Amino acid sequence: NRSMKLVEELKAGEAELDKLDALGATSKVLIGGNHEDRLQRYLQDKAPELFNIVNVPELLHLKRRGWEYVPYKSHTKLGKIHFTHDVGVAGRNAVFQCLDTYQHSVVTGHTHRLAYIVEGNATGEFKLSAQFGWLGDSTKVDYMQRAKVLKGWALGFGVGYYDPSSKWVYMTPVPIVGYTVVVNGKLYK
């Protein structure tokens, strides 16, 4: 929310991390995006003396919480799939452009769209490109035309199942429709 002050954003972020920590995951990764990068850009331009001192991982106590932090414009990999915030593109074709950039299976965020494609090649190898929407409140978006938000952005998330023997990650899109969702055959409202 752009109306929040930094301290309020940090408190809100820590509250959400508390909820995620309570789920008991043993491996936790936060991939930085353009929103986290705002602080670094601000410091670089307005307070360069603090640039290497103040950062998102420290402010959110990620190390103490047991989280790995992947900086913006970088990626992490689990098995045969890459995870990154974006590759510098947006719009309805971004899911294809991300696949073209990586030439391997990739999951990206940034566009707030829900898109999932699988393409193969002549040797029978397949790769996936997926974007799983967002979990925000469209009424709070004040930096773009509301009609564009409602048309292009989709509430949703993804669930991945990792098979350590094959190194495949089976990604499943989970759209949220009318504030209801089905996960593993169970309806949640």
Side-chain angles (χ1 to χ4, degrees), residues 19 96 99 127-128 156 176 181:
K19 291 176 189 175
F96 293 100
L99 186 61
K127 53 193 180 234
L128 151 82
I176 300 170
V181 64

Side-chain angles (χ1 to χ4, degrees), residues 104-141:
H104 292 279
S105 291
V106 62
V107 173
T108 53
H110 189 65
T111 67
H112 301 195
R113 293 175 175 273
L114 205 150
Y116 187 101
I117 61 164
V118 178
E119 288 188 348
N121 63 24
T123 65
E125 296 172 324
F126 287 90
K127 53 193 180 234
L128 151 82
S129 181
Q131 300 168 338
F132 293 117
W134 76 311
L135 297 172
D137 179 352
S138 64
T139 65
K140 304 287 187 201
V141 178

Side-chain angles (χ1 to χ4, degrees), residues 10-11 15 17 20 24 28-29 40 43-45 60 88-89 94 97 100 106 120 137 142 146 152 167 170 179-180:
L10 290 170
K11 284 180 184 175
L17 286 171
L20 292 170
K28 302 177 284 190
V29 180
Q40 293 311 116
L43 293 171
Q44 179 180 322
D45 295 344
L60 292 175
V89 295
Q97 293 168 309
D100 289 343
V106 62
D137 179 352
D142 62 358
R146 182 157 165 74
K167 306 274 191 235
Y170 298 91
Y179 296 100
T180 62

Side-chain angles (χ1 to χ4, degrees), residues 16-17 23 28 32-33 78 83 89 118 151 161 172 175 186 188:
E16 294 305 312
L17 286 171
L23 296 174
K28 302 177 284 190
L78 174 63
F83 296 85
V89 295
V118 178
K151 176 184 176 286
Y161 300 93
T172 304
K186 184 173 179 185
Y188 297 89

Side-chain angles (χ1 to χ4, degrees), residues 27-156:
S27 179
K28 302 177 284 190
V29 180
L30 177 66
I31 299 173
N34 55 304
H35 294 254
E36 289 76 18
D37 195 52
R38 286 184 309 191
L39 176 61
Q40 293 311 116
R41 290 191 319 267
Y42 177 85
L43 293 171
Q44 179 180 322
D45 295 344
K46 306 288 186 188
E49 59 280 356
L50 298 176
F51 183 75
N52 289 321
I53 298 170
V54 177
N55 58 66
V56 169
E58 292 292 326
L59 292 169
L60 292 175
H61 312 288
L62 294 181
K63 186 179 278 188
R64 176 181 55 80
R65 291 174 169 276
W67 285 75
E68 174 190 348
Y69 183 75
V70 177
Y72 182 47
K73 299 181 182 173
S74 189
H75 72 267
T76 190
K77 186 177 178 187
L78 174 63
K80 297 180 180 180
I81 194 163
H82 297 81
F83 296 85
T84 189
H85 182 71
D86 67 73
V87 297
V89 295
R92 70 185 327 161
N93 294 315
V95 70
F96 293 100
Q97 293 168 309
C98 292
L99 186 61
D100 289 343
T101 298
Y102 268 82
Q103 292 296 304
H104 292 279
S105 291
V106 62
V107 173
T108 53
H110 189 65
T111 67
H112 301 195
R113 293 175 175 273
L114 205 150
Y116 187 101
I117 61 164
V118 178
E119 288 188 348
N121 63 24
T123 65
E125 296 172 324
F126 287 90
K127 53 193 180 234
L128 151 82
S129 181
Q131 300 168 338
F132 293 117
W134 76 311
L135 297 172
D137 179 352
S138 64
T139 65
K140 304 287 187 201
V141 178
D142 62 358
Y143 53 90
M144 69 185 301
Q145 171 52 255
R146 182 157 165 74
K148 289 177 80 174
V149 172
L150 294 173
K151 176 184 176 286
W153 295 8
L155 289 175

Side-chain angles (χ1 to χ4, degrees), residues 163-188:
D163 176 11
S165 62
S166 69
K167 306 274 191 235
W168 285 105
V169 181
Y170 298 91
M171 299 300 303
T172 304
V174 183
I176 300 170
V177 180
Y179 296 100
T180 62
V181 64
V182 176
V183 178
N184 293 330
K186 184 173 179 185
L187 179 70
Y188 297 89

